[in-house]
Structure formats: C-alpha cells, structure tokens
C-alpha cells in the first residue's frame, strides 16, 4: 500500500471493494464480507385535552417507540475487518400539563409532570484478519443492556407587568433518574478470561473458517446509578418602544450520566464493576435585542450567549492493543461563548434578502486528560446569505428562494494518546427552490428544489486514526482518515394537491 492508494481511495463517495478476511486475494468474496444497514422505527402517540374552565386547560399525552437497527460495516475500510452491530430499544413517555391564566390575565402558568422509561440492548462483534494463517477471528464480542427511568416535576410562569411593556419568566424543574447497565463480554481472540474462570481454551472452527473460543465463557458486569437535580430559569424582556425589545435570561440544565462498554483484557476479576459518567451540568446566560424598523420592512436581531459546562460528556477513541472503541467520558469543563446577528430586508413587495452571522469561542477548561484540549465539531465562524422572490403569474403564485451557508474549519478529533488532532476543512453550500402554487383554490403545488448546487465535497464528520493499525514503509507513522461525506448535488421535484 502507498499513501492514498488508488485501489482504496477511489473517490469521495466510494469505498473500496476488497475482502481480505480469509485469504490475501482481494477479489474473492464470502458472505461474511457483506456490509449493510437496516433500521425500523415504530412510534405511537396520542393526547387528550380537557378545558376545565376559561382559565385552566389540562392535557395528557403519551407515546411508545420501538427502534431496531442492524448494521455490518468495514470500519478499517481496507477489507480486513467487519463489525456487526445490532441495537434494539423500547421507550415510553407520559406527560400531564396544566395550563393556567391567573391574576386577571397577567400570569401565564404551565405546570406538569412527565415520566420517561427506556430499555435498550446492544450486541457487537468484530471479525478481523490480522493473523499469519490468513484466518479471520472473532473478537470484541459483547452484548449490553441499558435502562433508564426518569420522573420530572416542573412549573414555569410568565408574569406580564401592568405597563404592558415588560415580562418576567420564572421556572423550576425537579428531576429524578435511575439508570443501569449490564455489560457482557465473551472470551474471544483478544479477550482472555480463562486465567480466572473455568473456560475451555480449545478453539473451534465455524462457518467460513471463523476461529472462536468457548461461546459459553462470558464476563457479566452490572452497574447502576441514581441522579436527582433541580434546574431553574429566569428571564426578563422589555419593549423599549414599538420597534425595539431587549431581553436577558439565565438558566441551568443537566444531563444524567451515561454508561459505556469499558471491559478490557486487563480487567481485574476481584473488582468487577462499572460506573456511569458524572452528570453534565450547564449554566446558560443570554442577552440581546429584537428590532423592526422602516414600517417593519427591516428586521435586525442580535444575541450574545455564554455557556459554562461542568463535566461535559463526550466521545473518546480508546485503543487497547490492536483494538479500539469509542466510549462516553467526562472530558472536563467547557466554556462556550459567542454571538449571533441576523437581519431581513424587504427590498420591494416581491423581493426580500436576509443574512445571518455567528461567532463561537469554545474552550476546554481543566480537561481530562490534560492533553485533551480540542473540542470537536464547533466552527468558530459561520454565515448564511440568501433571498426570496415571489410574484403573481398566470393565475398562480411563483416563488424563488436561493441561499448560501458557510461554516469555518473545525476540530474533528482530539490530540491525545496515539492519535493526532485533525481539522475538518471549511465548506459552503448553495441551495435553491422554485415553487409554483396554482388552481382555483391554490390547491396545486409544483416545486423544483436543489441542494449543494455547486457539488461541493465536504465532510459532516471525520475521524483520523490508525497509527496502531498501520506502519508506513518509510518508517514513519501512517494514518487512516475516515469521512462521513455530506450529500453531493441533489435535484428533486414535487407535485402535490391539497384536498
């Protein structure tokens, strides 16, 4: 192999078709080399509303969701590995809301209680050929169960001052959550537990030459954690005049901890336990203006925000031997601040133009570990420019929209351990839409839309890794870079009729 070998790096959207699982002939394929993705989502929701009287309305809503995902992926992209991942989840949500108008209409109050329960099962295994006998073996075989039950009680009110120009918002929420996990890992090519548990070390050959060990030899590690937290919100807004409103708010929120599969070949059998990450908390401060000028033909808004996270949760790529997995960890405290500016101008009765700009400064404070200094996926600058044109034409209405969005380069992975930081390139996308509404009652709509009209090649998410998998023939470290590409140019049309 050479850097950017054309047999592997074919183009921005095509993976190589190699299969090296059971021999060194890249043109021979077995069913074990097949990749694919299947998902199914069933969801049922309903709600009942009761107007108690002119001041009180009660709403009860509930829902059930079932999600099943099955995928087989070549994570290394060179045909030497297949990862099987199956996921099943069931969730139930129940909520009761009481909306009230009090104090002669000066206070809008919403109070309620909600309940959320979810249980999910995940199964994963890796089939990899990294042996001298050209025989793939199965490793990283684990099946995990996660469950979460959360109960929330909340109330939020907006008080309208008698002057008709000012409003104050106050809110409180109490949440109690119980979360648990059962991690199961079977003995396999890279996970040897026979030293402390009665397991058969004899190998058996399965279909296609897959080498496995005792399928009944398994480690089970349970874990559980409980959380309770009080969140709050305070806000105030004031109409300076008919054209200008100023506002400020402060709020606190939290996210319960999460479990990850952290079993490893070095597991200590005398202390088999797991723990969830610490809860993530954030305090958000926000202030700004909303304004309309020139008979509401020009709108200008500005917002400043400052978010302080404590124990922010995030993914980390962890390597152990020749295996790697992504787990959720507390990465440290995070400070995020910035501003957003947007405006809209009605140039004529038919033409309007708009623009928005954003700046974000994101920093890791006291990171864990200390060398993990980068935050992924947050561009520093971004903007959006565009316009809308509409006119009456042939008894119908024709409208044309065009917009261009751009975002700055951003970190993708953190510079820790054996993996180097990677910076994703900036990119901009041009999108457009032409729509014609017609008919006696304007019941017909014909539309032609296009996204990424300039056919930009860009990465939604990118990962640079692989020094522990590959060695360069020049004697220096080599890398793999995986990119989840955004869609290329897409043109699609629609004709619909409203009845």
């Amino acid at each position: 192999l050479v850097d950017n070998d054309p047999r592997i790096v074919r183009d921005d959207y095509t993976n190589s078709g190699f299969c090296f699982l059971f021999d060194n002939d890249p043109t021979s394929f077995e069913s074990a080399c097949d990749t694919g993705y299947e998902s199914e989502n069933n969801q049922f929701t309903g709600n009942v509303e009761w107007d108690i009287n002119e001041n009180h309305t009660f709403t009860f809503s509930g829902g059930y969701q079932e999600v099943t995902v099955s995928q087989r992926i070549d994570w290394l992209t060179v045909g030497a590995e297949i990862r099987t991942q199956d996921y099943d989840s069931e969730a139930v949500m129940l909520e009761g809301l009481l909306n009230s108008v009090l104090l002669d209409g000066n206070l809008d109050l919403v109070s309620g209680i909600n309940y959320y329960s979810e249980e999910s099962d995940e199964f994963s295994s890796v089939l990899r050929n990294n042996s001298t006998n050209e025989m793939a073996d199965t490793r990283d075989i684990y099946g995990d169960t996660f469950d979460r039950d959360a109960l929330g009680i909340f109330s939020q009110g907006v008080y309208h001052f008698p002057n008709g120009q000012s409003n104050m918002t106050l809110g409180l929420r109490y949440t109690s959550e119980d979360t648990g996990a059962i991690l199961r890992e079977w003995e396999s090519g890279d996970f040897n537990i026979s030293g402390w548990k009665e397991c058969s070390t004899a190998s058996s050959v399965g279909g296609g030459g897959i080498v496995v060990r005792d399928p009944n030899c398994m480690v089970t590690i349970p874990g559980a954690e409980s959380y309770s937290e009080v969140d709050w919100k305070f806000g105030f807004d004031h109409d300076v005049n008919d054209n200008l409103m100023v506002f400020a708010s402060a709020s606190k929120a939290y996210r319960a901890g999460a479990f990850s599969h952290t079993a490893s070949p070095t597991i200590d059998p005398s202390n088999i336990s797991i723990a969830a990450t610490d809860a993530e908390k954030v305090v958000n401060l926000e202030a700004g203006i909303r304004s309309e000028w020139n008979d509401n033909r020009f709108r200008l808004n500005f917002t400043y925000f400052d978010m302080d996270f404590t124990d922010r949760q995030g993914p980390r790529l962890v390597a152990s031997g020749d295996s790697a997995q992504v787990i959720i960890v507390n990465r440290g405290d995070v400070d995020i601040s910035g501003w957003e500016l947007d405006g809209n101008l009605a140039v004529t009765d038919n033409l309007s133009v708009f623009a928005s700009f954003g700046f974000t400064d994101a920093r890791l404070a006291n990171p864990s570990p200390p060398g993990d200094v980068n935050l992924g996926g947050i561009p520093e600058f971004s903007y959006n420019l565009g316009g809308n044109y509409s006119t009456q034409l042939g008894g119908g209405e024709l409208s044309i929209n065009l917009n261009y969005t751009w975002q700055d380069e951003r970190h993708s992975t953190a510079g820790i351990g054996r993996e180097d930081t990677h910076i994703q390139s900036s990119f901009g996308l041009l999108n457009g839409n032409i729509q014609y509404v017609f008919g006696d009652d304007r019941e017909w709509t014909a539309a032609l839309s296009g996204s990424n009209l300039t056919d930009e090649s860009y990465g939604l998410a990118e990962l640079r890794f692989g020094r522990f998998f590959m060695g360069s023939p020049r004697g220096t470290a080599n890398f793999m870079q995986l990119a989840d590409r955004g869609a290329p140019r897409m043109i699609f049309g629609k004709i619909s009729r409203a009845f």
Side-chain angles (χ1 to χ4, degrees):
L1 296 179
V2 297
D3 288 346
N4 293 324
D5 195 307
R7 294 169 295 176
I8 297 177
V9 185
R10 299 175 64 182
D11 58 51
D12 288 337
Y13 303 99
T14 306
N15 282 332
S16 60
F18 291 162
C19 179
F20 290 112
L21 285 182
F22 306 111
D23 54 48
N24 287 333
D25 180 4
T27 62
S28 65
F29 296 89
E30 298 83 9
S31 61
C33 300
D34 294 340
T35 60
Y37 178 89
E38 294 182 3
S39 67
E40 182 177 343
N41 184 352
N42 296 308
Q43 183 172 326
F44 306 93
T45 60
N47 68 283
V48 177
E49 186 173 300
W50 176 29
D51 292 328
I52 302 174
N53 53 44
E54 62 180 8
N55 293 327
H56 302 281
T57 300
F58 179 77
T59 303
F60 176 80
S61 60
Y64 171 81
Q65 184 181 43
E66 183 179 73
V67 178
T68 301
V69 177
S70 179
Q71 64 177 351
R72 290 169 53 84
I73 58 176
D74 178 6
W75 200 51
L76 300 180
T77 74
V78 292
E81 175 181 292
I82 292 293
R83 293 197 172 201
T84 300
Q85 298 173 339
D86 296 318
Y87 172 85
D88 294 286
S89 173
E90 293 185 5
V92 174
M93 188 278 292
L94 303 172
E95 183 176 68
L97 288 177
L98 178 63
N99 289 276
S100 304
V101 179
L102 306 172
L103 302 180
D104 295 327
N106 289 327
L107 176 63
D108 295 323
L109 183 67
V110 56
S111 303
I113 181 171
N114 57 23
Y115 171 75
Y116 179 80
S117 178
E118 179 185 18
E119 181 174 321
S120 61
D121 293 289
E122 300 178 6
F123 178 82
S124 177
S125 63
V126 177
L127 184 65
R128 182 185 301 158
N129 181 358
N130 60 353
S131 58
T132 57
N133 62 3
E134 302 179 9
M135 296 288 284
D137 65 353
T138 306
R139 54 186 58 221
D140 294 336
I141 311 172
Y142 62 83
D144 301 332
T145 297
F146 302 93
D147 61 82
R148 182 182 300 273
D149 291 283
L151 179 69
I153 302 173
F154 56 92
S155 182
Q156 180 169 303
V158 179
Y159 179 72
H160 311 286
F161 286 87
N163 62 15
Q165 295 179 284
S166 305
N167 304 285
M168 181 174 64
T169 301
L170 292 174
L172 284 175
R173 178 185 177 90
Y174 170 78
T175 304
S176 175
E177 294 193 47
D178 296 316
T179 181
I182 301 177
L183 308 186
R184 307 174 184 88
E185 182 149 356
W186 283 264
E187 187 179 51
S188 60
D190 62 343
F191 188 78
N192 192 336
I193 61 178
S194 58
W196 58 275
K197 185 175 181 180
E198 292 298 326
C199 298
S200 171
T201 58
S203 299
S204 60
V205 179
I210 304 172
V211 179
V212 297
R213 302 174 101 168
D214 184 355
N216 298 313
C217 195
M218 176 182 66
V219 170
T220 300
I221 311 173
E225 191 64 69
S226 297
Y227 304 87
S228 61
E229 196 73 26
V230 175
D231 295 329
W232 49 265
K233 180 177 182 179
F234 171 78
F236 183 81
D237 62 81
H238 177 69
D239 293 329
V240 178
N241 52 46
D242 293 340
N243 302 109
L244 177 65
M245 185 267 281
V246 296
F247 70 93
S249 67
S251 60
K252 171 189 169 292
Y254 102 107
R255 179 168 60 178
F259 286 97
S260 289
H261 189 94
T262 53
S264 70
T266 60
I267 191 170
D268 181 1
S270 65
N271 183 25
I272 303 177
S273 64
I274 57 172
T277 61
D278 292 332
E280 175 185 305
K281 302 177 184 179
V282 59
V283 174
N284 180 44
L285 305 177
E286 192 171 298
I289 64 170
R290 301 290 184 262
S291 65
E292 293 182 341
W293 309 93
N294 192 24
D295 294 330
N296 298 330
R297 299 185 67 87
F298 176 57
R299 185 181 69 239
L300 183 65
N301 300 326
F302 176 80
T303 303
Y304 173 82
F305 59 89
D306 184 279
M307 308 173 69
D308 292 328
F309 288 84
T310 302
D311 294 322
R312 176 158 174 169
Q313 299 170 20
R316 177 178 295 147
L317 181 67
V318 176
S320 178
D322 61 354
S323 296
Q325 60 182 342
V326 177
I327 64 173
I328 302 298
V329 298
N330 290 118
R331 298 190 58 195
D333 300 338
V334 176
D335 297 328
I336 300 177
S337 62
W339 52 262
E340 297 173 349
L341 177 68
D342 69 86
N344 189 300
L345 174 63
V347 180
T348 69
D349 292 341
N350 302 98
L351 175 65
S352 64
V353 294
F354 58 87
S356 63
F357 303 89
F359 168 79
T360 303
D361 181 23
R363 303 175 183 271
L364 262 173
N366 60 350
S368 175
D372 188 1
V373 297
N374 298 321
L375 282 175
I378 303 178
E380 188 175 25
F381 290 98
S382 62
Y383 64 82
N384 181 29
L385 308 173
N388 296 286
Y389 177 79
S390 62
T391 185
Q392 300 300 314
L393 180 66
E397 183 178 18
L398 175 69
S399 60
I400 301 173
N401 171 273
L402 196 65
N403 70 86
Y404 180 80
T405 63
W406 180 90
Q407 60 177 268
D408 206 353
E409 63 184 17
R410 61 209 185 278
H411 285 284
S412 178
T413 56
I416 60 172
R418 290 175 286 183
E419 306 309 314
D420 283 1
T421 184
H422 170 60
I423 297 180
Q424 294 183 220
S425 300
S426 61
F427 66 88
L429 301 177
L430 180 65
N431 307 302
N433 178 70
I434 300 176
Q435 178 176 287
Y436 185 60
V437 180
F438 60 98
D440 294 338
D441 297 318
R442 301 295 175 93
E443 71 274 18
W444 287 95
T445 299
L448 183 66
S449 302
S451 60
N452 191 10
L453 293 175
T454 57
D455 205 20
E456 179 87 1
S457 176
Y458 63 100
L460 294 173
E462 297 180 10
L463 179 64
R464 190 185 193 199
F465 75 111
R467 267 198 288 185
F468 50 93
F469 290 117
M470 307 179 74
S472 169
R474 296 190 299 270
T476 59
N478 223 345
F479 284 99
M480 289 181 180
Q481 181 174 317
L482 303 183
D484 180 12
R485 294 290 180 188
R489 179 193 296 120
M490 298 181 66
I491 306 294
F492 47 95
K494 180 183 72 172
I495 298 178
S496 62
R497 182 186 181 187
F499 295 94

